[in-house]
Amino acid sequence: MTSSHYIVYIFLVYCVTGQVIPGQGVQKRIKFPEYDRRTGRIISLLSGDKAVPHKNGVILVKGARLETYKYLGAKKNVDLIIEAPTCLFELRSRVASSPGPMKAYRSDGEAMLMGNGFLWRHRPALLIISNNVRTVMNQGFSINEK
């Protein structure tokens, strides 16, 4: 064998033995931020206890928590928090969704939504709760409307 054959052989062995098998590639304490393209400020953050990669850029996030932010001058405030035991996150479209239980609430506790099944789209900011929706409101839903 020539040296170029050895390189090809090593490359093929590496590719075949380096394939991702189920359970491999799990990451703990993950964060997927979304930034405003004009200002560079963070506008939302999806975090989770674990992330398990699936096909086509889809990630299963366990212990999911999504925070959205509003700015008053330079000060960043948490606006909305969405929590779910699990959700799927599509990296390309920046969409998080789940058929399971979820809750969304204002950071000050003045309003809360609970239900089963949701879809969150980063651009434009959109939250859809599918089933068994329950709403509890004291003041309203946006911190900017007090």
Side-chain angles (χ1 to χ4, degrees), residues 17-33:
T17 60
Q19 290 180 345
V20 176
I21 56 174
Q24 186 180 4
V26 173
Q27 296 181 0
K28 294 183 179 182
R29 294 182 205 75
I30 55 90
K31 293 183 179 185
F32 298 103

Side-chain angles (χ1 to χ4, degrees), residues 4-57:
S4 63
H5 286 105
Y6 282 116
I7 293 170
V8 170
Y9 177 75
I10 291 169
F11 176 75
L12 288 173
V13 168
Y14 178 76
C15 287
V16 171
T17 60
Q19 290 180 345
V20 176
I21 56 174
Q24 186 180 4
V26 173
Q27 296 181 0
K28 294 183 179 182
R29 294 182 205 75
I30 55 90
K31 293 183 179 185
F32 298 103
E34 183 74 17
Y35 295 93
D36 183 302
R37 293 178 184 154
R38 286 184 307 106
T39 65
R41 292 178 170 177
I42 187 168
I43 54 175
S44 65
L45 175 67
L46 173 63
S47 59
D49 299 330
K50 286 185 183 178
V52 181
H54 286 264
K55 294 186 223 175
N56 301 323

Side-chain angles (χ1 to χ4, degrees), residues 4-131:
S4 63
H5 286 105
Y6 282 116
I7 293 170
V8 170
Y9 177 75
I10 291 169
F11 176 75
L12 288 173
V13 168
Y14 178 76
C15 287
V16 171
T17 60
Q19 290 180 345
V20 176
I21 56 174
Q24 186 180 4
V26 173
Q27 296 181 0
K28 294 183 179 182
R29 294 182 205 75
I30 55 90
K31 293 183 179 185
F32 298 103
E34 183 74 17
Y35 295 93
D36 183 302
R37 293 178 184 154
R38 286 184 307 106
T39 65
R41 292 178 170 177
I42 187 168
I43 54 175
S44 65
L45 175 67
L46 173 63
S47 59
D49 299 330
K50 286 185 183 178
V52 181
H54 286 264
K55 294 186 223 175
N56 301 323
V58 175
I59 298 170
L60 173 66
V61 179
K62 296 181 179 184
R65 178 183 172 101
L66 181 103
E67 294 180 351
T68 65
Y69 306 105
K70 295 283 183 181
Y71 289 84
L72 299 172
K75 185 179 179 194
K76 176 179 76 172
N77 295 299
V78 177
D79 186 31
L80 181 67
I81 300 164
I82 302 168
E83 294 178 334
T86 62
C87 75
L88 292 174
F89 182 62
E90 298 175 27
L91 283 171
R92 280 183 233 126
S93 64
R94 311 301 283 180
V95 170
S97 63
S98 173
M102 61 79 64
K103 69 178 177 178
Y105 54 95
R106 274 186 25 181
S107 60
D108 64 6
E110 292 293 326
M112 180 172 47
L113 297 168
M114 295 173 285
N116 288 319
F118 78 93
L119 179 129
W120 167 259
R121 179 172 289 133
H122 286 272
R123 293 192 191 278
L126 172 71
L127 173 64
I128 299 170
I129 303 173
S130 315
N131 301 297

